Amino acid sequence: SNRKTLHRKFRKLSVQERLQALFDAGYFDHETHQFWQDGGTVLQENAADRMIENVVGRFAFPQGIAVNFPLNGQIYQVPLVVEEPSVVAALSFAALLAEKNGGFKAAASSPILIGQVQLTGLDDPLAAEQKLRAAQESIARAAQQAMPNMVARGGGLRDISFHHHDGEHSGRAMLVVHLHIDTQDAMGANMVNSVCEAVAPLLETICGGEAVLKILSNLADEALARAEVTLPCSQLAAPGWSGEQVRDRIILASDLALADPYRATTHNKGIMNGVDALALATGNDWRSIEAAAHAYAARDGQYRALSHWTKTENGDLHGELTMPIKVGTVGGSLQTNPAVLANLKLLGISRAQELASLMAAVGLAQNFAALRALASNGIQQGHMTLHARSVALAANAPSEIFDEVVKQLVASGEIKIETAQQIIQQIQT
Ligand code: NDP
């Protein structure tokens, strides 16, 4: 890797100093540096007004950087947009541990998105399928003609499949045609929707049915990203806990998340803390990633953890995560939000598969950090200090006494705005 490691003191710097550090290490050009220094210009009002309807303003989130994230022999400075304290810190911590042991490894399969065309009004759905199968070549040709640019850049239709359902309330049988489309570096929702609409009249003509729905499926289970990491016990020890104890308790926690949907939901939420924050930072549709993740987690009929943790032969801890991640590095809101372009530049990522791999690794890292805390001293200790910072902020603690207010707030055991206000008064009088 030719990317420079950022100093571990990054978190102790001021916002302006952090921007300078990223610039000095070559992660920012002058323009991007200037862009973040003028933080207020992140998304122009007139751009926002064109993105959605009835715009009255812009709503800000903090963006932090998880530093020196090691993936596939490369280092990434990972932008995270999130309102929850401790997500950025947890990821930086996991990065530091993993870095000493070969880092994270991840890969993403072909970026395939499925489009669905629902056909109804068929006298004989099975015979209709046979007619469509016999005409597959002309259907494929029509699909490819609807996306010439995508075909030219190496994407396009990869497969056609057929699925039958009974209509529970309509009483009408339906045949659903799936178009499996490689959308390259785009998330592909709009593109796949267009192809479904373009092909539907031909499908109707061939089988004599009526096409009702023509839309992508968010269950992108052919665009899977897989991440893994191995950590030696020596690095897992926490105050009062040996590395072996932490390892074994992480494996116990992971087993519960595989067996129990109540735990699995929380386990997966922790994974999404990282995935969503990076999705937001890169302008991706996090609802679609969320929808896919949870549907995939329940694919065998029971909702389960997306990741699992095991003991390797030599006693190390091994974690593995597989989930659908259909993201884009072009299209969507990516071109209209300049912060998104700045973040893709910071990451040095232009291909969707690389971004999907990083997202999976970030999800696994977030999962590890949460499990390590849960398996040792619990998450509240670390969480509460960070929570106290938000509460001190909400109580308008002046910056010269801010750290002292946070300290006393944590010591008080009552992390509330009223307590913070009392502490501020005490310090000031
Ligand atoms: P766009 O509609 O912006 O389309 C992306 C286009 O970029 C492609 O179709 C392609 O057009 C062009 N392009 C240029 N370079 C590349 C490249 N290297 N690889 C691939 N395409 C390239 O975005 P999407 O189709 O990705 O749609 C994503 C958006 O759709 C998201 O914002 C999402 O919120 C929204 N959406 C989501 C839905 C859902 O999830 N259910 C439903 C509807 C919308 P060309 O081939 O013509 O050059």
Side-chain angles (χ1 to χ4, degrees):
S1 167
N2 51 9
R3 294 184 194 166
K4 281 205 187 129
T5 306
L6 290 179
H7 199 279
R8 283 194 54 198
K9 293 268 162 61
F10 189 78
R11 66 195 176 92
K12 308 255 185 208
L13 304 178
S14 70
V15 174
Q16 290 303 322
E17 287 167 340
R18 289 186 194 123
L19 293 176
Q20 188 65 44
L22 285 162
F23 176 75
D24 292 344
Y27 287 99
F28 285 167
D29 53 22
H30 272 287
E31 194 194 354
T32 316
H33 191 199
Q34 191 62 49
F35 171 78
W36 286 115
Q37 281 182 319
D38 311 337
T41 64
V42 165
L43 176 62
Q44 300 287 352
E45 188 175 283
N46 57 3
D49 195 25
R50 273 178 258 128
M51 285 170 80
I52 62 162
E53 309 76 41
N54 297 359
V55 166
V56 295
R58 290 146 293 161
F59 180 102
F61 266 27
Q63 167 169 327
I65 308 280
V67 295
N68 306 329
F69 190 84
L71 170 64
N72 296 342
Q74 180 83 263
I75 276 182
Y76 295 86
Q77 309 304 338
V78 184
L80 298 168
V81 173
V82 63
E83 85 296 349
E84 185 176 335
S86 90
V87 169
V88 178
L91 199 61
S92 298
F93 169 75
L96 187 65
L97 284 198
E99 207 266 322
K100 295 179 191 148
N101 203 51
F104 289 83
K105 292 185 182 60
S109 60
S110 304
I112 288 177
L113 194 61
I114 294 171
Q116 299 189 293
V117 181
Q118 177 195 29
L119 296 162
T120 62
L122 303 160
D123 300 331
D124 182 348
L126 288 173
E129 178 184 336
Q130 289 318 314
K131 284 185 202 160
L132 290 169
R133 281 189 185 277
Q136 279 204 58
E137 268 179 38
S138 58
I139 298 169
R141 214 174 309 121
Q144 300 290 61
Q145 276 165 9
M147 47 179 163
N149 296 342
M150 197 54 81
V151 174
R153 68 170 68 87
L157 189 80
R158 292 286 182 265
D159 198 7
I160 305 176
S161 61
F162 302 90
H163 309 265
H164 293 270
H165 302 284
D166 298 323
E168 186 172 342
H169 298 290
S170 63
R172 291 165 69 178
M174 51 193 87
L175 168 58
V176 184
V177 180
H178 283 191
L179 304 173
H180 303 247
I181 297 172
D182 181 332
T183 68
Q184 297 280 298
D185 297 316
M187 182 271 190
N190 290 318
M191 215 212 66
V192 167
N193 291 347
S194 307
V195 175
C196 287
E197 291 189 6
V199 171
L202 176 63
L203 300 180
E204 289 177 324
T205 309
I206 295 169
C207 70
E210 183 196 353
V212 185
L213 296 188
K214 309 151 196 102
I215 188 167
L216 83 150
S217 164
N218 280 108
L219 180 48
D221 61 359
E222 292 182 1
L224 295 177
R226 188 172 167 282
E228 63 177 319
V229 69
T230 305
L231 297 160
C233 282
S234 56
Q235 283 169 22
L236 300 176
W241 300 91
S242 73
E244 284 75 15
Q245 281 175 315
V246 173
R247 175 200 63 202
D248 292 344
R249 288 163 65 94
I250 287 177
I251 294 169
L252 276 171
S254 160
D255 278 351
L256 179 59
L258 288 173
D260 170 19
Y262 286 89
R263 175 57 208 156
T265 307
T266 323
H267 180 104
N268 290 343
K269 190 277 182 183
I271 292 171
M272 302 314 285
N273 273 346
V275 172
D276 285 345
L278 179 53
L280 261 167
T282 54
N284 276 288
D285 181 341
W286 73 97
R287 287 90 53 210
S288 98
I289 303 171
E290 283 278 345
H294 301 297
Y296 186 74
R299 67 194 176 283
D300 68 2
Q302 190 194 317
Y303 187 92
R304 292 178 198 283
L306 290 163
S307 68
H308 63 268
W309 295 85
T310 54
K311 187 166 114 176
T312 65
E313 258 168 36
N314 59 6
D316 294 343
L317 177 71
H318 180 77
E320 212 177 294
L321 164 73
T322 304
M323 65 182 286
I325 298 191
K326 192 70 190 80
V327 286
T329 52
V330 295
S333 69
L334 279 66
Q335 261 72 24
T336 37
N337 190 339
V340 167
L341 288 178
N343 284 336
L344 287 173
K345 257 203 256 177
L346 164 65
L347 287 166
I349 288 182
S350 62
R351 303 305 309 261
Q353 275 168 294
E354 186 179 353
L355 181 58
S357 303
L358 178 63
M359 264 185 208
V362 162
L364 184 63
Q366 204 71 47
N367 181 219
F368 164 73
L371 289 181
R372 180 180 174 275
L374 286 170
S376 53
N377 295 315
I379 62 167
Q380 282 314 82
Q381 207 181 355
H383 245 265
M384 276 308 163
T385 312
L386 294 167
H387 179 52
R389 293 177 65 84
S390 332
V391 171
L393 190 67
N396 292 321
S399 55
E400 58 286 1
I401 58 166
F402 192 86
D403 290 341
E404 183 58 27
V405 174
V406 172
K407 210 170 105 188
Q408 292 194 24
L409 201 53
V410 173
S412 78
E414 287 243 323
I415 319 253
K416 293 188 181 145
I417 293 189
E418 304 83 76
T419 321
Q421 283 162 342
Q422 284 164 15
I423 293 171
I424 294 167
Q425 260 184 355
Q426 275 164 19
I427 296 177
Q428 283 177 334
T429 51

